[in-house]
């Protein structure tokens, strides 16, 4: 395979012959020469190709190159006299592989609005910023797998189609193999593929617990879904979630793993995607680099939910939503606590049991649960986790109180009947993480194919 | 965090005090001592704990331990006099964390049938063989990401919910947020979440092509779905698929990557899961180790579809299904070619265009396409790939012939309108790979949560 542009840009030039394949980012005709910037997606920077009139197709093709054309270039890798680049290629042969008619190709040299780019989601990865997002996602994806492997976790594929509803709330998409008339029968899902109503998972946690109790430390990283009709910059119908689950682990251990993970992932992006971060710092989010450094600088701040409520009440700030013990923290509250009060990531612990799901472990005070949320500047909640209720009778009580059918969850209760151990885990929204490290404000711009109300184009 | 049993088994014993947490696999009361085998899922082997009557809870708890109980043991790590293990732990304190009443705990020391274990999919990861499968899946998962990263690929999350049907055939599950009465309206999906009928992806390929044409070399690894009502040992409604896609790549390059990948993945399992492979060799599939060595020994065999048909016709074998040029190869044909004729993995290329999807590149003979399937012993097709049709007019022609609506696929055609380049890719069924390396015959036993007709229990 040919070397990529990323490699060539770091190769010492010695007039060696190289071959490059990629797409034209810009083509500038100086009159006596053409300067063609070629990219291949391997990095943010392009490679400058200098084409001289002695090329046989100089007039017929080279001078007519436009943004988006695919080319193959043979030439010599030489030191570049131009600023900002160490090397360039002096073309000896330039072959046009695929044209991109500038009259109709939607991507031109100018800056396009993110709204316009969302309307051409099949072409936007070719732009600098969406191309950079894709590389950062890929780096983070690998870093996640590496992090957990190094710590002895087993990766588990939890199911996408499920008949359990982790949160005990609605908002699940239904999955069906029925069509037309079949859907109009009474109780149609009894005749359906799975013999009952099945839906798209909202979380792999309950199933991950199965494997925590056989393999000790496990994680699942996969797509999750919400059929929530919210047309906002914060919601997607389909998004990726990372969910580790650890046996013999309490809330303190859970927080330690989550904090170490976030610091590790941010460090990977800082180390491997410096050019991309620079781009986002300049064009998307001033202060991004400093915000990321603050993640590493010191331990995350910590306070209990009760302390957080007290801090909000005595802050002297006016909030849109009232602050009262027993209500969930609103986005404005979370951002105040994290951005203004702590000035860095903040872990809030021990929430009232009535605002948290049934599976969270009841604290000795009988009113709060061993929950933790990690709030980060600019985003709010990045991680939500808890120690799980491992005591059978207490869990059954919470499930009854939540109106759940214990029969349906008998498999989940079995985990407490047989060899139950203290265990804990958390969920990290992958797109929120990408937003955090890029500073991109709309979640639709950090996932390759956003699924939102009314929109699933390809 | 405490060391795992995998680490302790490789620690030189020096009477050091260690702490272990895990589950009792077996407990044997010799009269004067108890021998307790403890596992924690980190490896196949257990750790032997020797408990003496001087433990304060020896009579009340230790002697009553049974399979599945969760325990914490403090003791000294010493050289073991017993055969087959280098170390053991002499218990100084043994705490029972969670019981598993032997009267009702379904997993006992005896061997259970795979059919029975399928009925308790939330407990089967605790058995030796299903525990081993989970570790092998995890190793393969990481090896896949590492392999592609080393070769400069960008990982892309292609969508699960989609309005495109890659294969141009049915068998897609429908995804809906409608309920009850809403489903009974005429044209219900116009009122649905996405404003049109949406389904679960059968392949991420078409969307991966978008990123191959921006980032050069990409892969997607995620769940895919078939609403096929097949109750066999070879079919799942939900399974994981790996799909690399490479720009500036032809069929030869495609085959080279696929062969290198398979060899690399098999080598990882041979190196990192030797105990697990030994287990499967002994109890599941005699000859497994030799079969895996044959993968590495020499280049994969190769023949064209036309040569394959000729070889089948002149083989003198009686087949259930007739062999004729223009029909798809049946499982019995694939297995004969691969197992009896080649005796190793076999790549079959250049299939008739009428039995392959519209996106495969037409060969110059105008009757075959640049397709390749990789067949492996015991499984049949493990990989299916092709060079993609990058020529706009030819692609449009094939799509019209297949009865597809070109408007629906305009985004896909844009990839040929703007900067089109030769590109190729393949799909590898992850569960088939796990079957291949473990020798497990039923696909339901190599995925944590099999989804099949009538069955999606948790």
């Amino acid at each position: 395979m040919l070397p990529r542009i990323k490699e060539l840009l770091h190769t010492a030039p010695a007039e060696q012959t190289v071959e490059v394949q990629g797409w034209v980012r810009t083509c500038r005709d100086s009159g006596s020469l053409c300067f063609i910037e070629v990219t291949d997606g391997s990095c943010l920077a392009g490679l400058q190709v200098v084409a001289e009139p002695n090329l046989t197709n100089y007039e017929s093709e080279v001078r007519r190159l436009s943004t988006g054309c695919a080319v193959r270039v043979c030439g010599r890798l030489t030191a570049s006299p131009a600023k900002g680049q160490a090397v360039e290629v002096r073309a000896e042969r330039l072959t046009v592989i695929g044209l991109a008619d500038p009259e109709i190709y939607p991507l031109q040299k100018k800056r396009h609005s993110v709204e316009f780019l969302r309307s051409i989601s099949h072409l936007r990865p070719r732009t600098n910023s969406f191309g950079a997002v894709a590389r950062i996602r890929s780096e983070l994806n690998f870093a996640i797998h590496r992090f957990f492997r190094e710590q002895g976790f087993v990766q588990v594929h939890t199911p996408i189609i499920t008949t359990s509803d982790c949160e005990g709330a609605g908002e699940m998409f239904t999955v069906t193999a029925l069509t037309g008339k079949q859907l109009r029968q009474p109780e149609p899902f009894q005749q359906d593929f799975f013999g009952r109503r099945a839906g798209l998972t909202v979380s792999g946690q309950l199933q991950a617990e199965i494997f925590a109790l056989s393999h000790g430390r496990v994680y699942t990283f996969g797509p999750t879904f919400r059929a929530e009709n919210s047309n906002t910059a914060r919601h997607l119908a389909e998004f990726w979630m990372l969910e580790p689950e650890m046996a013999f682990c309490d809330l303190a251990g859970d927080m330690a793993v989550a904090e170490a993970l976030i610091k590790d992932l941010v460090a990977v992006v800082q180390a491997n995607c410096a050019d991309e971060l620079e781009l986002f710092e300049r064009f998307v989010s001033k202060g991004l680099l400093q915000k990321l450094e603050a993640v590493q600088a010191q331990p995350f701040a910590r306070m209990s939910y009760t302390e957080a409520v007290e801090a909000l009440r005595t802050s002297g700030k006016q909030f849109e939503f009232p602050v009262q013990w027993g209500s969930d923290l609103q986005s404005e509250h979370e951002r105040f606590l994290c951005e203004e009060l702590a000035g860095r990531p903040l872990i809030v612990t021990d929430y009232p049991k009535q605002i948290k799901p049934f599976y969270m472990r009841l604290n000795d005070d009988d009113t709060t649960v061993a929950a933790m949320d990690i709030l980060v500047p600019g985003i709010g909640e990045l991680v939500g986790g808890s120690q799980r209720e491992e005591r059978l009778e207490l869990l059954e009580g919470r499930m009854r109180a939540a109106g759940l059918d214990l029969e349906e969850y008998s498999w989940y209760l079995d985990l407490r009947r047989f060899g139950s151990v203290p265990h804990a885990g958390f969920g990290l929204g992958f797109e929120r993480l990408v937003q955090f490290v890029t500073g991109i404000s709309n979640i639709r711009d950090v996932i390759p194919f956003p699924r939102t109300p009314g929109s699933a184009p390809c």
Side-chain angles (χ1 to χ4, degrees), chain A:
Chain A
M1 289 193 287
L2 297 178
R4 312 286 305 274
I5 286 176
K6 186 179 181 179
E7 295 159 54
L8 290 178
L9 290 175
H10 292 94
T11 301
E15 300 286 323
Q16 67 269 50
T17 297
V18 296
E19 198 174 330
V20 185
Q21 298 173 130
W23 293 270
V24 173
R25 183 177 278 163
T26 59
C27 180
R28 184 165 57 84
D29 186 343
S30 80
S32 58
L33 292 172
C34 276
F35 296 97
I36 305 153
E37 190 187 359
V38 178
T39 63
D40 66 1
S42 62
C43 57
L44 185 63
L47 177 68
Q48 176 158 291
V49 171
V50 183
E52 296 181 57
N54 60 350
L55 295 177
T56 56
N57 58 344
Y58 188 78
E59 288 298 329
S60 62
E61 292 189 315
V62 176
R63 291 186 62 186
R64 297 174 186 190
L65 284 173
S66 58
T67 299
C69 290
V71 292
R72 180 182 303 114
V73 179
C74 274
R76 277 165 303 116
L77 190 72
T78 64
S80 175
K83 245 183 90 169
Q85 58 192 23
V87 298
E88 63 185 27
V89 169
R90 297 258 153 185
E92 286 163 352
R93 203 169 67 237
L94 190 156
T95 312
V96 177
I97 302 177
L99 292 168
D101 181 352
E103 297 293 315
I104 55 171
Y105 186 47
L107 293 175
Q108 293 303 323
K109 200 183 161 181
K110 66 172 187 141
R111 252 183 114 178
H112 299 283
S113 74
V114 288
E115 292 77 15
F116 170 69
L117 292 173
R118 262 175 235 145
S119 74
I120 48 167
S121 61
H122 62 296
L123 297 175
R124 69 178 189 174
R126 303 177 180 198
T127 65
N128 284 351
S129 62
F130 288 94
V133 167
R135 281 188 298 275
I136 287 178
R137 282 185 72 99
S138 181
E139 280 295 319
L140 286 170
N141 171 71
F142 186 76
I144 284 169
H145 291 298
R146 184 200 34 75
F147 177 89
F148 286 108
R149 181 184 162 83
E150 283 174 2
Q151 305 213 13
F153 283 67
V154 170
Q155 180 270 345
V156 178
H157 288 126
T158 51
I160 310 304
I161 299 174
T162 179
T163 52
S164 304
D165 181 351
C166 177
E167 302 293 326
E171 300 181 350
M172 269 181 97
F173 283 105
T174 297
V175 173
T176 177
L178 301 176
T179 56
K181 261 198 314 212
Q182 297 168 318
L183 282 168
R184 291 182 216 119
Q185 307 295 318
E187 306 287 341
F189 302 119
Q190 288 183 12
Q191 320 304 323
D192 205 350
F193 193 93
F194 298 106
R196 54 190 292 195
R197 184 176 170 244
L200 292 180
T201 185
V202 299
S203 161
Q205 176 203 317
L206 301 194
Q207 291 95 347
E209 286 184 55
I210 290 171
F211 280 82
L213 292 176
S214 60
H215 289 76
R217 294 179 204 155
V218 303
Y219 70 104
T220 178
F221 181 34
T224 53
F225 306 86
R226 294 283 188 289
E228 197 180 352
N229 205 342
S230 298
N231 236 323
T232 79
R234 292 169 49 86
H235 289 87
L236 289 171
E238 172 178 330
F239 53 96
W240 281 68
M241 186 127 79
L242 167 68
E243 296 178 283
E245 192 72 31
M246 295 155 281
F248 307 104
C249 182
D250 60 13
L251 191 68
D254 201 33
M255 292 190 284
V257 170
E259 180 169 345
L261 172 72
I262 292 168
K263 287 182 166 170
D264 184 279
L265 297 178
V266 168
V268 163
V269 176
Q270 289 173 315
N272 299 354
C273 307
D275 286 355
E276 284 81 1
L277 290 185
E278 189 71 37
L279 177 83
F280 293 122
E281 166 80 31
R282 281 181 64 194
F283 296 114
V284 172
S285 175
K286 304 256 176 272
L288 174 67
L289 299 180
Q290 207 184 338
K291 184 186 78 176
L292 297 182
E293 283 184 9
V295 172
Q296 312 289 359
Q298 48 183 319
F300 291 1
R302 298 187 184 201
M303 60 172 61
S304 71
Y305 167 88
T306 302
E307 290 164 347
V309 167
E310 193 55 28
L312 290 165
R313 294 180 82 115
T314 58
S315 67
K317 282 275 286 198
Q318 280 296 95
F319 294 107
E320 191 187 339
F321 292 90
V323 176
Q324 54 182 32
W325 200 99
S327 299
D328 219 345
L329 299 179
Q330 299 297 318
S331 187
E332 56 174 344
H333 307 144
E334 293 181 342
R335 295 191 64 160
F336 171 80
L337 292 167
C338 169
E339 293 165 20
E340 298 190 40
L341 205 63
R344 63 187 201 273
L346 166 68
I347 313 184
V348 180
T349 62
D350 302 300
Y351 287 75
K353 66 178 177 183
Q354 65 266 30
I355 59 171
K356 289 291 184 185
F358 67 89
Y359 51 74
M360 295 192 175
R361 191 178 196 277
L362 194 64
N363 285 328
D364 290 344
D365 62 17
D366 209 30
T367 56
T368 61
V369 289
M372 63 106 175
D373 284 357
I374 303 186
L375 315 176
V376 296
I379 302 291
E381 184 188 331
L382 175 63
V383 161
S386 72
Q387 188 170 342
R388 319 307 188 186
E389 185 56 80
E390 89 280 15
R391 297 161 296 185
L392 181 62
E393 284 179 21
L394 285 165
L395 180 61
E396 287 177 334
R398 301 262 343 256
M399 291 175 77
R400 277 195 205 93
L404 296 175
D405 178 356
L406 270 61
E407 264 308 301
E408 284 289 304
Y409 288 87
S410 69
W411 63 269
Y412 188 67
L413 293 167
D414 271 358
L415 305 179
R416 280 72 181 171
R417 286 192 189 100
F418 308 120
S420 186
V421 304
H423 61 290
F426 61 86
L428 179 151
F430 187 66
E431 279 69 30
R432 291 200 181 168
L433 174 67
V434 181
Q435 285 188 275
F436 179 63
V437 299
T438 60
I440 289 173
S441 59
N442 194 315
I443 200 167
R444 298 173 193 206
D445 298 332
V446 297
I447 190 168
F449 300 93
R451 268 65 185 111
T452 56
S455 180
C458 33

